[in-house]
């Protein structure tokens, strides 16, 4: 017997499944608020050297206006903007009376710190710890450190979720994210902040991989794409809210507490979230599985399963190859097709994540303010998700995955050649590319849960999430390469998107295919369509031998 047979009996898509999506909305809204938080808390406002050291006795600048003080103290670039990291070695009062060339005048690095423009942000990481000029790399590194935490969490929670269940590890994720998220807002040093952000990312990973799996494992085959895509709209909602939060709260410490606070409500709703019946059956917890299955049937207004299926019948569900066998990450590479699947999904996840975040973390250069750019980038995700929902069921997962990645790479390539003067065109192409990159992310989440069998699904998601976060961790570092060559980051991201798109064409199609339960389901050829037949002995729909074994 297969689990899909039970779902058909108790309704695999009803009020019970909708309730799960709603209960998981709050934590999923928090995820983008933290994942893209660096766009705002690590923003670098306009700044210049503190020139007070040039006014030794306090009398030189007494009769000068603030603008005149800067004129005699800070050199300008060719475009007329003042340099951020240099100042004159001595005051150059002759610059007040004429426009003589100041390029040959002796300059030094800032001697007494910096003065920041606080008109947009009252404080950021850059202004808090002077992460500018020769320390500017430390500013962007905070994003990489956070995603390294997410990456490590993917490995840990992939194992813990399969060992201790989806629900228990979800609560642990909530608590970790709350404790370390709030603690980060009170960090009094850069090192402490970096450590706490690492641990916050570690905790948030459990929310990311558990929420999608809990949703998918409770729904029937025909509605998996609906649950995966519509449920992910919470991410887009959170992404748009982040722009609003950041606009209203311009202090980085307060902003961190603001985006973490909703997890307190998520803890309260956790009590109503059901454990995955698939996982319970896979681990021999039959009574608990029957409890949740009966609860699902009751809420969906179907007959209780207990009247038709006894515990002995549930124990015969073919989820485990061997009852009580423990699975680990090694099972992802022990057999030929699992090895191939693991390699290909890892490459695709790396490409999807590095492309998405490479675009999302670069919200400047389009002639719009950062809040509006971020909001537009987030808003375009909604039609992108709705579009991909329809295409997923028409052309299939594989073509959607490849198409969205290849088109994203194409958009990035176009912007490489479009002059910066045509910022309107560049903005439109960038927004289109952002929407397509989000469509590829939505697809890969659903696609991966359908590719890996139940017994190692969480391990598979843990591994792919690791590869994803590896790509995300590298993305801020790639963006820093613009100091070497302005176009280099775009070329790298474009290349990664195209390569990962081509690799995704090597994956099997999962449209209208039942979820694999065992590793044998992946290794052995299977029918591509779900089929069920009535079997009187059990009183439920069972898949016939002829359909499942060929």
């Amino acid at each position: 017997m297969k689990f899909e047979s039970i779902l058909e009996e108790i309704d695999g898509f009803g009020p019970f499944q909708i309730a799960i999506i709603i209960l998981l909305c709050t934590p999923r809204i928090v995820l983008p608020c933290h994942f893209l938080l660096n766009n705002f808390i690590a923003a670098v406002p306009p700044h210049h050297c503190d020139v007070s050291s040039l006014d030794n006795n306090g009398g030189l600048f007494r009769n000068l206006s603030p603008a005149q003080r800067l004129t005699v103290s800070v050199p300008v670039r060719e475009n007329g903007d003042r340099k951020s990291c240099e100042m004159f070695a001595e005051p150059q009062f002759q610059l007040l009376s004429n426009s003589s060339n100041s390029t040959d005048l002796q300059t030094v690095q800032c001697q007494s710190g910096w003065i920041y423009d606080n008109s947009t942000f009252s404080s950021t990481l850059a202004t808090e710890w002077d992460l500018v000029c020769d320390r500017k790399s430390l500013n962007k590194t905070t994003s990489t450190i956070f995603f390294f935490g997410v990456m490590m969490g993917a490995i840990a929670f992939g194992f813990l979720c399969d060992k201790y269940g989806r629900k228990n590890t979800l609560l642990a994720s909530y608590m970790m994210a709350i404790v370390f998220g709030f603690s980060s807002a009170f960090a009094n040093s850069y090192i402490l902040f970096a450590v706490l952000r690492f641990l916050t990312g570690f905790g948030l990973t459990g929310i990311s991989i558990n929420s999608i799996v809990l949703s998918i494992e409770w729904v029937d085959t025909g509605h998996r794409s609906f649950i995966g895509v519509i449920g992910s709209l919470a991410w887009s909602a959170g992404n748009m809210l982040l722009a609003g939060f950041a606009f209203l709260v311009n202090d980085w410490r307060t902003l961190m507490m603001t985006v973490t606070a909703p997890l307190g409500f998520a803890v309260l709703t956790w009590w109503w979230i059901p454990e995955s019946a698939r996982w319970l059956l896979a681990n021999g917890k039959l009574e608990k599985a029957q409890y949740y299955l009966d609860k699902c049937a009751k809420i969906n207004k179907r007959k209780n399963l207990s009247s038709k299926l006894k515990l002995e019948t549930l124990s015969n569900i073919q989820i485990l190859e061997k009852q009580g066998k423990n699975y680990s990450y090694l099972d992802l590479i022990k057999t030929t097709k699992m090895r191939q699947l693991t390699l290909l999904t890892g490459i695709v996840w790396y490409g999807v994540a590095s492309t998405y975040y490479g675009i999302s973390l670069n919200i400047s250069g389009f002639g719009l303010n950062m809040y509006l750019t971020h909001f537009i980038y987030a808003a375009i995700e909604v039609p992108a998700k709705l579009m991909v929902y329809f295409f997923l069921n028409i052309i299939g997962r594989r073509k959607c995955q490849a198409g969205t990645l290849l088109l994203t790479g194409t958009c990035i390539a176009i912007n490489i050649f479009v002059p910066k003067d045509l910022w309107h065109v560049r903005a439109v192409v960038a927004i289109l590319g952002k929407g397509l990159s989000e469509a590829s992310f939505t697809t890969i989440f659903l696609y991966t849960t359908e590719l890996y069998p139940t017994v190692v699904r969480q391990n598979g998601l843990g591994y792919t999430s690791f590869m994803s976060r590896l790509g995300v961790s590298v993305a801020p570092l790639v963006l820093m390469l613009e100091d070497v060559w302005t176009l280099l980051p775009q070329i790298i991201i474009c290349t990664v998107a195209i390569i990962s798109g081509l690799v995704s064409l090597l994956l099997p199609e999962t449209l209208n295919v039942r979820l694999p339960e065992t590793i044998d389901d992946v290794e052995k050829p299977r029918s591509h369509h779900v089929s069920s037949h009535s079997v009187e002995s059990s009183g439920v729909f069972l898949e016939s031998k002829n359909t499942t074994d060929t």
Side-chain angles (χ1 to χ4, degrees):
M1 181 191 296
K2 295 298 179 181
F3 190 78
E4 275 74 9
S5 304
I6 298 178
L7 283 179
E8 289 179 16
E9 189 69 16
I10 62 175
D11 190 356
F13 184 70
F16 183 81
Q17 284 76 12
I18 298 299
I20 293 175
I21 297 178
I22 295 173
L23 290 171
L24 293 172
C25 271
T26 300
R28 294 175 81 169
I29 284 175
V30 170
L31 290 176
C33 291
H34 272 280
F35 280 41
L36 296 172
L37 188 59
N38 258 53
N39 277 344
F40 302 103
I41 66 170
V44 181
H47 56 280
H48 60 79
C49 295
D50 181 351
V51 296
S52 59
S53 61
L54 295 179
D55 191 16
N56 293 326
N57 56 16
L60 293 177
F61 293 165
R62 181 178 302 168
N63 298 321
L64 298 182
S65 67
Q68 290 175 325
R69 293 179 186 181
L70 290 180
T71 299
V72 302
S73 305
V74 181
V76 297
R77 300 187 182 92
E78 292 181 0
N79 62 2
D81 293 336
R82 300 201 179 278
K83 293 185 178 181
S84 301
C85 303
E86 295 179 23
M87 56 187 286
F88 292 123
E90 298 290 341
Q92 305 297 322
F93 293 104
Q94 73 276 10
L95 295 177
L96 293 174
S97 58
N98 60 65
S99 56
S100 60
N101 189 357
S102 63
T103 56
D104 296 330
L105 299 175
Q106 182 182 359
T107 62
V108 294
Q109 298 298 309
C110 297
Q111 303 296 303
S112 304
W114 292 263
I115 301 295
Y116 298 94
D117 180 358
N118 294 326
S119 60
T120 302
F121 301 98
S122 62
S123 71
T124 67
L125 299 181
T127 64
E128 182 85 14
W129 293 302
D130 286 335
L131 305 181
V132 294
C133 298
D134 57 344
R135 286 164 55 87
K136 68 178 181 180
S137 60
L138 293 177
N139 196 33
K140 289 189 176 181
T141 302
T142 55
S143 181
T144 296
I145 291 171
F146 170 80
F147 285 113
F148 267 126
V150 175
M151 185 169 60
M152 294 297 106
I155 299 176
F157 280 106
F159 168 77
L160 294 173
C161 292
D162 275 339
K163 186 172 180 63
Y164 298 106
R166 282 58 161 143
K167 184 175 181 179
N168 290 333
T169 50
L170 182 63
L171 179 61
S173 301
Y174 286 168
M175 299 311 297
M176 282 192 68
I178 290 173
V179 171
F180 295 120
F182 275 106
S183 298
S184 299
F186 296 95
N188 58 5
S189 70
Y190 175 83
I191 294 177
L192 178 59
F193 174 79
V195 171
L196 291 173
R197 281 298 281 167
F198 176 92
L199 294 172
T200 303
F202 188 97
L204 287 169
T205 310
I207 301 174
S208 177
I209 61 181
N210 264 299
S211 58
I212 184 67
V213 170
L214 269 173
S215 301
I216 294 297
E217 290 190 338
W218 268 108
V219 74
D220 59 27
T221 304
H223 293 93
R224 288 201 304 257
S225 59
F226 178 85
I227 292 289
V229 174
I230 302 303
S232 69
L233 287 174
W235 172 281
S236 301
N239 209 355
M240 287 186 281
L241 285 172
L242 175 59
F245 290 150
F247 180 77
L248 296 172
V249 182
N250 55 17
D251 173 73
W252 73 268
R253 295 181 186 273
T254 308
L255 182 58
M256 288 210 68
M257 291 187 284
T258 301
V259 299
T260 304
L263 286 177
F265 178 74
V267 171
L268 298 178
T269 63
W270 173 86
W271 300 99
W272 290 279
I273 296 174
E275 179 58 272
S276 167
R278 289 181 188 268
W279 179 84
L280 291 169
L281 291 171
N283 287 270
K285 302 178 184 295
L286 306 183
E287 293 185 3
K288 198 71 173 177
Q290 187 177 27
Y291 166 78
Y292 283 117
L293 289 169
D294 286 344
K295 188 175 183 180
C296 177
K298 180 180 179 181
I299 294 176
N300 288 343
K301 297 181 180 179
R302 295 292 182 93
K303 293 182 179 179
N304 268 9
L305 206 60
S306 56
S307 63
K308 293 185 177 182
L309 288 178
K310 304 300 180 184
L311 292 179
E312 294 81 4
T313 310
L314 286 176
S315 66
N316 291 327
I317 291 180
Q318 300 169 8
I319 289 184
L320 284 183
E321 296 161 336
K322 292 182 181 178
Q323 184 66 30
K325 178 179 177 182
N326 292 320
Y327 291 86
S328 68
Y329 285 105
L330 292 177
D331 291 287
L332 299 177
I333 58 173
K334 281 184 178 179
T335 54
T336 304
K337 289 191 176 180
M338 283 299 298
R339 213 163 26 240
Q340 181 183 12
L341 176 64
T342 301
L343 174 63
L344 296 178
T345 53
I347 294 173
V348 175
W349 269 88
Y350 179 91
V352 168
S354 61
T355 302
Y356 177 86
Y357 283 95
I359 297 174
S360 299
L361 294 173
N362 184 21
I363 58 175
S364 60
F366 299 112
L368 305 172
N369 72 61
M370 62 190 309
Y371 302 110
L372 182 58
T373 302
H374 186 95
F375 181 82
I376 293 174
Y377 269 12
I380 193 64
E381 294 181 1
V382 177
K385 289 176 187 290
L386 297 176
M387 175 196 71
V388 81
Y389 167 65
F390 292 105
F391 279 106
L392 280 171
N393 291 324
I394 295 174
I395 65 175
R397 281 61 159 148
R398 179 172 54 191
K399 291 180 181 177
C400 272
Q401 190 65 70
T404 51
L405 279 169
L406 292 173
L407 288 173
T408 301
T410 302
C411 289
I412 298 172
I414 291 174
N415 263 356
I416 291 175
F417 297 100
V418 176
K420 287 193 174 183
D421 294 339
L422 301 175
W423 65 267
H424 295 87
V425 177
R426 288 173 57 83
V428 171
V429 174
I431 291 168
L432 180 60
K434 176 59 165 61
L436 289 166
S437 70
E438 168 57 30
S440 71
F441 226 135
T442 302
T443 303
I444 194 61
F445 259 114
L446 173 66
Y447 200 6
T448 304
T449 59
E450 296 179 337
L451 286 169
Y452 283 99
T454 298
V455 291
V456 292
R457 183 168 296 123
Q458 207 71 9
N459 282 327
L461 277 178
Y463 156 72
T464 53
S465 184
F466 173 87
M467 293 302 296
S468 164
R469 304 317 166 193
L470 178 62
V472 177
S473 301
V474 172
L477 304 180
V478 170
L479 294 177
M480 290 171 62
L481 293 176
E482 65 180 0
D483 293 337
V484 178
W485 181 29
T486 306
L487 297 179
L488 187 56
Q490 296 180 68
I491 292 174
I492 294 174
I493 295 171
C494 174
T495 303
V496 170
I498 292 174
I499 291 176
S500 56
L502 295 174
V503 168
S504 65
L505 291 172
L506 301 176
L507 291 168
E509 181 55 70
T510 60
L511 177 62
N512 294 328
V513 179
R514 66 171 175 78
L515 287 178
E517 306 289 359
T518 67
I519 290 178
D520 274 348
D521 289 346
V522 174
E523 295 297 323
K524 295 178 181 179
R526 295 275 167 173
S527 169
H528 285 283
H529 297 280
V530 175
S531 175
S532 57
H533 302 277
S534 179
V535 179
E536 296 179 359
S537 60
S538 64
V540 298
F541 290 143
L542 302 179
E543 291 180 275
S544 69
K545 271 288 187 186
N546 293 333
T547 303
T548 57
D549 297 322
T550 57

